[in-house]
Amino acid sequence: MARSRKETTISILKLIIFHHSSGKSVRNIAKLVNLSHYTVQYVIKRFKEENRIEKKVRKGRPAKLTKCDLRFIIRKFVKNPRLSALKVSAEFNEKFSTSISPETVRRVLRGAGLNGRSARRKFFVSAKNRKLSLSFAKPMLNKPETYRNNDLFADESKFKIFCSYGRIMVWRRKNEELNPKNLVGTVKYGGGGVLVWGACQHQD
């Protein structure tokens, strides 16, 4: 889906102002210069308000991506955070005429406040169970404090005996990844664990 980004030349801009001074309508001018009436209207508005035809001189290199391009990239990752920059850049290059690299995608995401992080691990809860939990919890907000005096609060936790569930970071030099100090040992079936269950209840 190629898009043209030709800038309107000074001669065309002057021609728009000339026809406008002659009393022609915006739509007639748009047909004469082969531009959209929105563009013609903007040129005339700028001439009236700022008394200039030329565009302001830009500082630095013009942006490669338009606001529409930025929204396309950001929307992809907001919808699916697990996408890779390589995949999105390839899709962008296939859809649009502008060619970008995966690093450009990463810069766009960082500029929008999105940073690559390890996904947190959490017990899986299905959509059905989430709805059931919310339907149970929401009515409890309006209950008096004494309503929970007879409730029994219970919870359970599993503790691994051999190693940790989390990611363990080490500071090491190059080529020291196999040093025993920098290794995390593993055993079959996770090495076993202990499941602890507890409960508490309010008493007057």
Side-chain angles (χ1 to χ4, degrees), residues 65-170:
L65 300 177
T66 64
K67 290 182 179 179
C68 181
D69 297 335
L70 299 177
R71 285 196 301 269
F72 173 84
I73 295 171
I74 295 168
R75 195 182 299 118
K76 283 284 181 183
F77 285 89
V78 170
K79 188 176 181 181
N80 184 6
R82 297 190 181 187
L83 287 174
S84 67
L86 183 65
K87 186 175 181 179
V88 173
S89 63
E91 183 180 350
F92 185 93
N93 295 338
E94 186 179 343
K95 280 193 171 186
F96 304 113
S97 58
T98 306
S99 180
I100 61 173
S101 66
E103 186 57 35
T104 301
V105 174
R106 296 186 191 101
R107 281 198 298 269
V108 170
L109 295 176
R110 286 193 288 267
L114 298 171
N115 298 288
R117 298 288 186 267
S118 296
R120 297 287 179 90
R121 293 184 178 274
K122 199 173 185 301
F123 287 111
F124 175 75
V125 181
S126 65
K128 179 182 177 182
N129 287 337
R130 282 200 296 268
K131 289 181 180 179
L132 290 173
S133 298
L134 284 173
S135 63
F136 171 79
K138 284 182 178 179
M140 298 297 173
L141 294 173
N142 300 322
K143 299 287 185 181
E145 292 185 5
T146 55
Y147 177 80
R148 298 177 179 83
N149 288 350
N150 297 323
D151 288 350
L152 181 69
F153 295 92
D155 198 6
E156 61 183 29
S157 294
K158 184 180 180 182
F159 298 90
K160 292 188 72 175
I161 296 175
F162 189 76
C163 60
S164 171
Y165 279 111
R167 185 174 63 174
I168 298 174
M169 306 292 292
V170 295

